[in-house]
Amino acid sequence: MKLTLLGTANAASIPVYGCECVACQRAMVDPFYRRLNCSALLEFDDQKILIDAGLPDITARFTPGELTKVLITHYHPDHVQGLLHLRWGAGFNIQVLSPKDPVGFADLYRHPGILDFSSRLSAFEPYQMDNLEITPLPLLHSKQTLGYAFRHNGKHFAYLTDTAGLPLDTVHYLAQNRLDVMVIDCAFPPGLAGPLNHNDIDMAILLHQAIKPKKSVLSHISHELDCWLLDNEEYLPSGIVIGHDGQVLR
Amino acid sequence: MKLTLLGTANAASIPVYGCECVACQRAMVDPFYRRLNCSALLEFDDQKILIDAGLPDITARFTPGELTKVLITHYHPDHVQGLLHLRWGAGFNIQVLSPKDPVGFADLYRHPGILDFSSRLSAFEPYQMDNLEITPLPLLHSKQTLGYAFRHNGKHFAYLTDTAGLPLDTVHYLAQNRLDVMVIDCAFPPGLAGPLNHNDIDMAILLHQAIKPKKSVLSHISHELDCWLLDNEEYLPSGIVIGHDGQVLR
């Protein structure tokens, strides 16, 4: 099982268009610090699952038929806007697994094209794909949102965006099932978390300490957080790292 | 006044992802035949107006502050999806001129970011930008849609997507005000026009003959039309050409 972080930014991405902050200017100069919209690619055996679809260039990144499925955490634009184009493909279908959100996004349900939205997932009801078990986990966000735990050949990953804190049921499930890797929402420096939207770095640390994965990787990062980290490099306890685009977790 | 066609395709763009038709295969091999989502750039004096915003890479194409305004024909995804990212810029604002559509697209009105949607245009009520006069014209489409006539230094252009036929008021206005260039929706080969959506090539020819611009340029083209044109190269009367991405009209 291999998880590649395709994007690690919040909706604005980094550099923010027109922004002159230190983090955005650094990202203009050095591509390593650029962050695209939060998404990831999970690979196991010969299968590829795209986790969230906010990248606008999905059809350029993957050949037709290369993606086994798309797995959606929630229907906010920065997590699904790439489906607006992907749906108009031809000659094959792509199954989209997602929460039971009656609204979805824009006109995707009405004009699904090649996308099949019929598989809706429910919290704590595992979905089996060959040797991969996907367990949907409730998150706390301003739209109905699921995180996902992935179990394959004895390894256990979790992918938890977008969320501000976590429901106790989710914390208990993850604490009881020792995680190798936890990717978790961390949009803001301490004290800047919005209500019902995203973790700040202190909440991410607290959740790491409660769940005790072997490793936590922070994602959905804002330019405010990247700026703050430049002056607070030593803030993160061991076992927690800042994610970056292209990072591979095994 | 200079109009550059940035995209000349319908929502699917060309090549259609996964499609094996002759037109899509040709576009895979030769970038000249690729078509992005229908949009254009109008330049006059030192100003740049982006007409429709379906391209996902607006922030990569234009430096911050380079676009004077964005002009929207209608709020279908392939004409506005690029605003979902553009709005999260920082340090300046962009005025978006658009029809009085109470819904707009997705959450753009609720979370406009740097975009200012307060200027809503009405049919036949000219909007003045320095020496440029923009006259909104009603079109016939499945969502509230305006075409635009541009008058600058004695030159007169019209940009008319998306539409299936044209209201007679619009035809009369355009016929009475001799056009130098008319860019017009032409999505389909003869007989394939969808009700209230797009012109087929026969309707586009009919409108050209009724309005009598010096030159008509067809846009919003589907791969079905590009395939059909391969076998029907001589079909278009003189004065009408097929648009292509990057084409410059002066």
Tab-separated table of all heavy atoms in Angstrom, chain A residues 30 40 54 56 83 97 99 139 151 157 188 208-209 216 219 227 245 248:
chain	number	residue	atom	x	y	z
A	30	ASP	N	10.727	28.311	-5.391
A	30	ASP	CA	11.116	26.903	-5.242
A	30	ASP	C	9.889	25.994	-5.291
A	30	ASP	O	9.089	25.958	-4.364
A	30	ASP	CB	11.841	26.729	-3.900
A	30	ASP	CG	12.402	25.317	-3.733
A	30	ASP	OD1	12.004	24.424	-4.512
A	30	ASP	OD2	13.231	25.129	-2.826
A	40	ALA	N	-4.900	12.898	-2.788
A	40	ALA	CA	-3.872	11.859	-2.670
A	40	ALA	C	-4.193	10.707	-3.608
A	40	ALA	O	-5.321	10.566	-4.093
A	40	ALA	CB	-3.788	11.363	-1.229
A	54	GLY	N	-9.969	17.615	-6.376
A	54	GLY	CA	-9.919	19.069	-6.531
A	54	GLY	C	-8.910	19.519	-7.575
A	54	GLY	O	-8.936	20.675	-8.005
A	56	PRO	N	-7.473	20.221	-11.094
A	56	PRO	CA	-8.200	20.436	-12.340
A	56	PRO	C	-7.672	19.594	-13.501
A	56	PRO	O	-8.304	19.512	-14.538
A	56	PRO	CB	-7.981	21.929	-12.618
A	56	PRO	CG	-6.688	22.256	-11.947
A	56	PRO	CD	-6.569	21.336	-10.762
A	83	LEU	N	-13.851	16.995	-11.022
A	83	LEU	CA	-14.853	16.099	-11.614
A	83	LEU	C	-15.671	16.805	-12.693
A	83	LEU	O	-16.245	16.141	-13.562
A	83	LEU	CB	-15.801	15.561	-10.531
A	83	LEU	CG	-15.165	14.738	-9.407
A	83	LEU	CD1	-16.246	14.288	-8.411
A	83	LEU	CD2	-14.428	13.525	-9.956
A	97	LEU	N	-16.889	6.864	-5.031
A	97	LEU	CA	-17.369	6.527	-3.697
A	97	LEU	C	-17.407	7.809	-2.870
A	97	LEU	O	-16.418	8.552	-2.840
A	97	LEU	CB	-16.433	5.523	-3.023
A	97	LEU	CG	-16.070	4.266	-3.830
A	97	LEU	CD1	-15.005	3.461	-3.079
A	97	LEU	CD2	-17.315	3.422	-4.067
A	99	PRO	N	-19.640	10.270	0.542
A	99	PRO	CA	-20.641	10.295	1.604
A	99	PRO	C	-22.050	10.432	1.021
A	99	PRO	O	-22.208	10.846	-0.131
A	99	PRO	CB	-20.285	11.552	2.419
A	99	PRO	CG	-18.919	11.937	1.999
A	99	PRO	CD	-18.749	11.442	0.596
A	139	LEU	N	-16.168	12.854	10.216
A	139	LEU	CA	-15.324	13.997	10.577
A	139	LEU	C	-16.233	15.149	11.001
A	139	LEU	O	-17.459	15.029	10.971
A	139	LEU	CB	-14.435	14.393	9.392
A	139	LEU	CG	-13.532	13.299	8.806
A	139	LEU	CD1	-12.618	13.883	7.729
A	139	LEU	CD2	-12.708	12.601	9.878
A	151	ARG	N	-6.954	-0.539	5.319
A	151	ARG	CA	-6.211	-1.660	5.873
A	151	ARG	C	-5.862	-2.621	4.723
A	151	ARG	O	-6.741	-3.009	3.948
A	151	ARG	CB	-7.081	-2.372	6.918
A	151	ARG	CG	-6.310	-3.250	7.877
A	151	ARG	CD	-7.266	-3.995	8.782
A	151	ARG	NE	-7.950	-3.125	9.711
A	151	ARG	CZ	-7.466	-2.764	10.902
A	151	ARG	NH1	-6.294	-3.186	11.287
A	151	ARG	NH2	-8.168	-1.977	11.706
A	157	PHE	N	-3.580	2.723	7.341
A	157	PHE	CA	-3.429	4.169	7.108
A	157	PHE	C	-4.768	4.850	7.390
A	157	PHE	O	-5.831	4.234	7.240
A	157	PHE	CB	-3.100	4.460	5.637
A	157	PHE	CG	-1.729	4.074	5.182
A	157	PHE	CD1	-0.847	3.381	5.995
A	157	PHE	CD2	-1.313	4.404	3.890
A	157	PHE	CE1	0.422	3.030	5.542
A	157	PHE	CE2	-0.055	4.059	3.427
A	157	PHE	CZ	0.810	3.374	4.249
A	188	PHE	N	-4.196	25.649	10.043
A	188	PHE	CA	-3.864	26.946	10.640
A	188	PHE	C	-2.829	26.868	11.758
A	188	PHE	O	-2.683	25.830	12.407
A	188	PHE	CB	-5.129	27.587	11.204
A	188	PHE	CG	-6.194	27.840	10.176
A	188	PHE	CD1	-7.418	27.178	10.247
A	188	PHE	CD2	-5.972	28.720	9.141
A	188	PHE	CE1	-8.404	27.403	9.303
A	188	PHE	CE2	-6.950	28.958	8.186
A	188	PHE	CZ	-8.169	28.299	8.267
A	208	HIS	N	-3.107	13.703	17.491
A	208	HIS	CA	-1.987	12.762	17.344
A	208	HIS	C	-1.696	12.079	18.683
A	208	HIS	O	-1.486	10.855	18.741
A	208	HIS	CB	-0.747	13.511	16.843
A	208	HIS	CG	0.510	12.686	16.845
A	208	HIS	ND1	0.827	11.819	15.825
A	208	HIS	CD2	1.522	12.589	17.753
A	208	HIS	CE1	1.980	11.215	16.096
A	208	HIS	NE2	2.427	11.674	17.261
A	209	GLN	N	-1.701	12.876	19.748
A	209	GLN	CA	-1.380	12.312	21.067
A	209	GLN	C	-2.490	11.387	21.576
A	209	GLN	O	-2.233	10.425	22.299
A	209	GLN	CB	-1.093	13.450	22.054
A	209	GLN	CG	0.245	14.146	21.708
A	209	GLN	CD	0.484	15.439	22.444
A	209	GLN	OE1	-0.431	16.023	23.026
A	209	GLN	NE2	1.736	15.906	22.413
A	216	SER	N	2.213	10.909	12.072
A	216	SER	CA	1.155	11.786	11.565
A	216	SER	C	1.748	12.728	10.528
A	216	SER	O	2.862	13.240	10.698
A	216	SER	CB	0.529	12.620	12.689
A	216	SER	OG	-0.327	11.828	13.484
A	219	SER	N	-1.774	17.926	6.519
A	219	SER	CA	-2.123	18.353	5.161
A	219	SER	C	-3.216	19.413	5.227
A	219	SER	O	-3.638	19.813	6.300
A	219	SER	CB	-2.562	17.140	4.327
A	219	SER	OG	-2.689	17.498	2.958
A	227	CYS	N	3.794	30.246	6.775
A	227	CYS	CA	4.514	31.424	7.303
A	227	CYS	C	4.886	31.203	8.772
A	227	CYS	O	6.037	31.438	9.177
A	227	CYS	CB	3.639	32.683	7.210
A	227	CYS	SG	3.633	33.454	5.601
A	245	ASP	N	3.667	18.252	-1.240
A	245	ASP	CA	3.183	17.653	-2.487
A	245	ASP	C	4.215	16.679	-3.044
A	245	ASP	O	5.413	16.973	-3.090
A	245	ASP	CB	2.918	18.750	-3.531
A	245	ASP	CG	1.662	19.559	-3.201
A	245	ASP	OD1	1.250	19.564	-2.025
A	245	ASP	OD2	1.113	20.179	-4.126
A	248	VAL	N	5.611	10.521	-0.607
A	248	VAL	CA	5.149	9.133	-0.709
A	248	VAL	C	5.197	8.483	0.669
A	248	VAL	O	6.234	8.521	1.345
A	248	VAL	CB	6.017	8.343	-1.706
A	248	VAL	CG1	5.600	6.879	-1.721
A	248	VAL	CG2	5.908	8.945	-3.098
